[in-house]
Amino acid sequence: MSPFNGSANGNGHSPTGSPLVVAEMVKEKIAILKREREAVILAHNYQEGAIQDVADFVGDSLGLARKAKATDAKIILFCGVHFMAETAAMLCPNKTVLMPDLAAGCSLADMIIPEQVRAWRVRHPDGVVVCYINTSAVVKAECDYCVTSTNGVKVLEHIPAEKEILFVPDYYLGSFLKAKTRRKIHLWKGYCPAHAAILPEQVDRLREEHPEAEFLMHPECGCTTKQMDLADQILSTEGMVQHVARSPAREFIIATETGLLNRLRTQHPDKTFYPASEHATCHHMQRNTIEKVFMSLVKLQHVVTVDPQVAKQAIVPIQRMLEIV
Ligand code: CIZ
């Protein structure tokens, strides 16, 4: 059933045509399978272009969580990383949630485990624990509120001002929220390796080379602290998509995972986008390929589940967030 089997003939071309023809064939087969399986494909902004092309919806984790909750499809094929698919599975307990590759995890999410959250709470018994959505379900089960990079400020506004906040796991998003809200926030020292690859010197050089370009920076960037005042905007991926659509600027330096440039370039072929670093790539996101998307629909693999006891607790901070924004 695979359109990939036997397609390579040694020169990189399929016997039935060029790689482009094969790619179109695969897209058609995925469209047919999607209908047959009553499936919807949700793809994160960091996924490769071919996956974004076959998706019913492309967005950030917040947008994807909302789409998962709203869909009446029987199957959600989630093209992103594991914590995102877990969130969809918890929001849609009666649907089957699939991932093209179960090993697509998140290095940032792996930087904290439940025992560490519990131990931190013991040291700050009155603290409110806020987790970035980039956490596993078992960690969310220990937390009070969940945030994304899009809604962090708004969610924090709902926590009584006198409460101190324990923020996990991203140090840089936490620093950004601390600066924005002027709250007492204790920061866990986790970071995203893809965003850590964006170095201030590279950004300085690009800004010199492209003085007209707007500089859009993701709050997960390690250089946020140094360059916070320099960035034209500090935005989530969805915030960047919306900003570019509104902005009269013709050129943009984009400081986030390079997958977002697929979406920006597709939506704005008339504008120019420079990645702040070509190395800002998430190897977990890249585990998903169009071939694995196809095989997922053929074999109905790989099912994402969350232990019901964990889900019962982990859904609480997620629901609190969704009720606020
Ligand atoms: O919330 C998300 O999807 C992530 C991980 C980044 C962003 O800003 O969209």
Side-chain angles (χ1 to χ4, degrees):
M1 176 93 196
S2 169
F4 305 94
N5 288 347
S7 63
N9 61 5
N11 62 9
H13 286 214
S14 128
T16 50
S18 72
L20 270 181
V21 173
V22 176
E24 281 315 307
M25 236 170 67
V26 175
K27 284 183 189 170
E28 277 169 32
K29 285 188 186 280
I30 287 175
I32 294 167
L33 277 166
K34 226 169 40 171
R35 279 196 298 277
E36 284 174 6
R37 303 295 202 193
E38 296 181 57
V40 67
I41 300 183
L42 305 182
H44 191 264
N45 283 328
Y46 293 155
Q47 290 289 272
E48 65 175 41
I51 295 180
Q52 293 191 3
D53 288 349
V54 296
D56 297 282
F57 181 77
V58 180
D60 66 353
S61 54
L62 181 64
L64 296 174
R66 288 192 195 290
K67 285 284 168 188
K69 208 168 168 225
T71 184
D72 48 20
K74 284 192 185 145
I75 291 170
I76 298 171
L77 175 50
F78 205 107
C79 303
V81 294
H82 197 258
F83 73 83
M84 299 176 183
E86 274 187 335
T87 305
M90 290 189 281
L91 288 169
C92 315
N94 300 322
K95 295 190 190 302
T96 303
V97 177
L98 304 176
M99 276 183 81
D101 187 330
L102 270 187
C106 172
S107 308
L108 170 60
D110 290 343
M111 289 183 192
I112 189 150
I113 57 172
E115 290 76 8
Q116 291 171 313
V117 180
R118 288 200 283 272
W120 215 20
R121 254 196 210 279
V122 170
R123 294 209 299 279
H124 301 275
D126 296 327
V128 174
V129 183
V130 178
C131 62
Y132 190 20
I133 196 159
N134 297 40
T135 41
S136 61
V138 283
V139 165
K140 286 190 179 83
E142 301 291 332
C143 299
D144 301 306
Y145 286 85
C146 179
V147 300
T148 71
S149 40
T150 301
N151 62 22
V153 172
K154 284 207 176 100
V155 173
L156 262 53
E157 280 166 1
H158 281 254
I159 300 173
E162 70 283 3
K163 289 278 182 197
E164 59 180 7
I165 291 169
L166 311 182
F167 188 81
V168 299
D170 191 83
Y171 179 84
Y172 297 103
L173 175 61
S175 306
F176 171 70
L177 294 174
K178 196 170 172 171
K180 278 274 178 193
T181 62
R182 300 180 179 277
R183 297 287 302 258
K184 177 157 188 185
I185 306 183
H186 300 277
L187 301 170
W188 195 256
K189 291 208 173 66
Y191 65 94
C192 162
H195 285 91
I198 300 172
L199 304 175
E201 313 77 83
Q202 282 172 310
V203 172
D204 290 344
R205 186 173 42 75
L206 275 170
R207 284 167 65 87
E208 267 171 43
E209 283 170 14
H210 307 287
E212 301 296 318
E214 272 197 283
F215 171 36
L216 310 187
M217 183 198 268
H218 194 276
E220 274 178 49
C221 280
C223 51
T224 305
T225 345
K226 178 177 178 276
Q227 302 215 334
M228 204 165 321
D229 297 335
L230 299 180
D232 293 305
Q233 301 280 337
I234 299 179
L235 297 165
S236 65
T237 56
E238 214 46 43
M240 289 186 191
V241 169
Q242 288 166 15
H243 178 83
V244 167
R246 287 194 301 266
S247 169
R250 314 300 305 160
E251 293 177 284
F252 300 85
I253 298 166
I254 303 293
T256 192
E257 211 275 345
T258 54
L260 182 66
L261 277 83
N262 294 318
R263 182 161 174 210
L264 294 173
R265 286 176 177 146
T266 306
Q267 289 185 343
H268 304 281
D270 53 327
K271 297 189 177 190
T272 306
F273 301 95
Y274 308 104
S277 168
E278 297 282 358
H279 303 292
T281 54
C282 171
H283 69 278
H284 281 296
M285 285 282 176
Q286 291 178 349
R287 291 187 84 98
N288 296 329
T289 61
I290 194 75
E291 178 173 10
K292 289 180 189 171
V293 169
F294 172 79
M295 290 314 293
S296 238
L297 287 171
V298 172
K299 296 192 172 177
L300 293 182
Q301 65 187 20
H302 303 273
V303 179
V304 178
T305 52
V306 180
D307 175 273
Q309 274 311 104
V310 172
K312 202 172 153 200
Q313 285 171 263
I315 199 76
V316 174
I318 298 172
Q319 295 287 22
R320 282 192 184 133
M321 167 183 80
L322 292 176
E323 278 159 25
I324 294 169
V325 281

